[in-house]
Amino acid sequence: MNKRTLAISGAAIAALGAAAILLPNANANPDETSGAKTFSSPAAVKLARSLASDLGDNGAGWYYDGANRQLVMNVMDQDSADSVRAQGAVAKVVQNSMAELKAATETLSSDASVPGTAWSIDPVTNKVQVTADRTVTGAKWATLTKATGQMEGTVSVRRSQGEFKKFDGGEAAQPGDNGDNGDNGGTGAGDAAGGAGAAGGAGDAGTGAVGGAGDAGTGGAGDAAGGAGDAGAGGAGDAGGGGDAAAGGLDGGDAIFGGGARCSLGFNVSVDGAPGFLTAGHCGNESQTWSSDQAGAQQVGTVQDSQFPESDFALVMYDDATTQASSTVDLQNGSTQEIGRAVEASVGLEVQRSGSTTGVTDGTVTGLNATVNYGNGDIVNGLIQTDVCAEPGDSGGAMFAEDAAVGLTSGGSGDCTQGGETFFQPVTAALEATGAVIGAGDGGAGGGDAAGGAGDAAGAGNAGSGNAGAGDAGDAGAGDTGAAAGAGDTGGDTGQSLN
């Protein structure tokens, strides 16, 4: 064999060796994104549900990658990965099946249920994420680590600098204490626990919506935390978000007072045509009656159903059956967000929260089917875990995504200075349990797959868009012309389902 032949043979062998190294690595990459499509969040959710149904046990959860606008599906084998990629989603071959992850949560519940712990299924890491707050030390830490040590590869443990607690607050803590001053149009509630002002709920400018604050009308809560005042009767002037039709009603995120506690209203609802609202169950357990002012002079509603622990929601019915409670959330800046439907949360969903202490904050859903142990036997299951901040007094407040109700603030660790994690009761579960619907009148806004979720054909008509909450000019609530809002797939962009 001559030198040229040897050189060629040597090069061929080297090339084959390189291929032997590269090909396995290429096949082993479970996060291959070539050819993946971009999706809006609603489109991603719709495709994810369809793919999850088709995959069955070969699927292991999914999440929305908001940064890249891609849907990521966890799968158990390569054939499933190929079918996922064919639909334009990113396929991620993972180790743990959904059945294994759920089994891990059951083991934690039986073997590691110690106060100050929480866990949820995290599809991003394909593990059960366990969080232990700063109180988990000594014997409690030993119990936790003994249980999790036997589930290596399935469970991940991390520490939180804060302490898990329910976010109800005492009446001494006023709305806006931790927010910006109401005069500056921030998230606070005004100069003195709601911007005072002789008109209380309306303000001279009349620009607030069910709680425009004081003389500046910048969106605080007023003397009655969003209530009446001499000129208000629960709403602003003709140009406001509430209008005459919303007299007496409050918005999501407004302060409510009862039994020495201050909480926040979640979402206005109706039950068989009667007006009411949802808030946290641990708030509902504090008092049978709730007022819009700290003194209790303006009672607004009576608890009809309160569930805590295990779940964390309460249904409060307005005492005045003629109350026209608009389906809106207070954005704490003089404006409101119309809510026409309810959806189930998904990991990666971008959300906002409105509460009477910290105003409006935002973040992302990070885990589902979460369990949190607040101590003293107060263990709540089936919650939504987020990186949204909250503080005492925000309990019961509204978590929403655009025009869709998502959750009711329960509790968590941290605050809005240092951050932390916050847990929310899914609104869809609360609606199903109470028979309530989002909005008032006309059968509610958006029926959908899960007691208020915006399904393909549900939520059409006047529900969630009619005159209630529209103001005299009809600008804020869309008036009678907004019939398509909340209509799911049949309602165009404004009614497109997030879930």
Side-chain angles (χ1 to χ4, degrees), residues 7-346:
I8 294 173
S9 299
I13 292 170
L16 288 171
I21 295 171
L22 292 174
L23 286 175
N25 287 341
N27 291 334
N29 182 7
D31 298 301
E32 179 63 53
T33 60
S34 62
K37 298 178 182 178
T38 59
F39 298 93
S40 66
S41 179
V45 170
K46 185 175 182 180
L47 176 58
R49 285 185 165 181
S50 175
L51 287 172
S53 177
D54 293 340
L55 290 168
D57 292 340
N58 289 323
W62 57 272
Y63 61 95
Y64 181 62
D65 179 358
N68 296 308
R69 294 173 56 82
Q70 293 176 332
L71 169 64
V72 182
M73 300 292 299
N74 292 342
V75 296
M76 300 303 298
D77 56 53
Q78 194 60 48
D79 288 342
S80 298
D82 292 341
S83 64
V84 164
R85 294 188 184 111
Q87 297 297 316
V90 176
K92 185 176 179 182
V93 180
V94 296
Q95 176 182 350
N96 299 313
S97 68
M98 187 56 66
E100 289 171 326
L101 295 175
K102 290 181 177 178
T105 64
E106 294 173 0
T107 299
L108 288 167
S109 294
S110 61
D111 298 347
S113 185
V114 298
T117 58
W119 52 79
S120 63
I121 294 176
D122 178 12
V124 178
T125 62
N126 184 233
K127 293 182 179 181
V128 176
Q129 180 68 62
V130 180
T131 305
D133 73 13
R134 65 187 180 193
T135 69
V136 181
T137 59
K140 292 197 297 183
W141 178 252
T143 298
L144 178 64
T145 55
K146 179 181 179 181
T148 57
Q150 299 173 359
M151 295 182 284
E152 186 177 357
T154 307
V155 170
S156 177
V157 181
R158 68 182 182 90
R159 298 303 301 256
S160 171
Q161 297 301 313
E163 179 180 348
F164 290 133
K165 56 189 175 184
K166 304 181 292 293
F167 281 142
D168 52 333
E171 290 182 357
Q174 295 301 320
D177 279 352
N178 296 317
D180 295 331
N181 187 288
D183 289 344
N184 295 324
T187 59
D191 288 339
D204 292 342
T207 58
V210 195
D215 293 338
T218 54
D223 282 344
D230 294 339
D238 290 345
D244 295 338
L250 301 174
D251 287 319
D254 285 347
I256 53 175
F257 301 85
R262 175 171 61 84
C263 290
S264 299
L265 186 146
F267 298 96
N268 284 317
V269 297
S270 63
V271 180
D272 296 329
F277 61 82
L278 295 174
T279 188
H282 66 267
C283 293
N285 288 0
E286 291 284 337
S287 177
Q288 188 66 18
T289 59
W290 289 85
S291 303
S292 60
D293 66 318
Q294 180 176 337
Q298 299 188 51
Q299 182 175 314
V300 294
T302 302
V303 173
Q304 178 171 301
D305 186 12
S306 184
Q307 300 295 322
F308 181 85
E310 296 188 12
S311 298
D312 196 2
F313 65 85
L315 172 64
V316 181
M317 301 304 295
Y318 281 104
D319 292 335
D320 183 354
T322 64
T323 298
Q324 298 296 310
S326 58
S327 185
T328 48
V329 170
D330 190 352
L331 297 181
Q332 314 290 347
N333 62 0
S335 64
T336 59
Q337 169 66 56
E338 285 285 337
I339 301 295
R341 57 208 174 94
V343 297
E344 295 178 4
S346 55

Side-chain angles (χ1 to χ4, degrees), residues 336-412:
T336 59
Q337 169 66 56
E338 285 285 337
I339 301 295
R341 57 208 174 94
V343 297
E344 295 178 4
S346 55
V347 172
L349 179 66
E350 295 181 354
V351 292
Q352 292 179 286
R353 179 201 54 77
S354 180
S356 64
T357 298
T358 55
V360 176
T361 59
D362 56 27
T364 304
V365 173
T366 59
L368 301 176
N369 196 28
T371 294
V372 59
N373 188 330
Y374 292 120
N376 299 316
D378 292 340
I379 303 172
V380 188
N381 302 307
L383 298 178
I384 304 164
Q385 185 168 350
T386 74
D387 59 11
V388 182
C389 73
E391 296 181 8
D394 288 330
S395 273
M399 181 172 74
F400 57 101
E402 299 176 359
D403 70 334
V406 180
L408 305 167
T409 307
S410 176

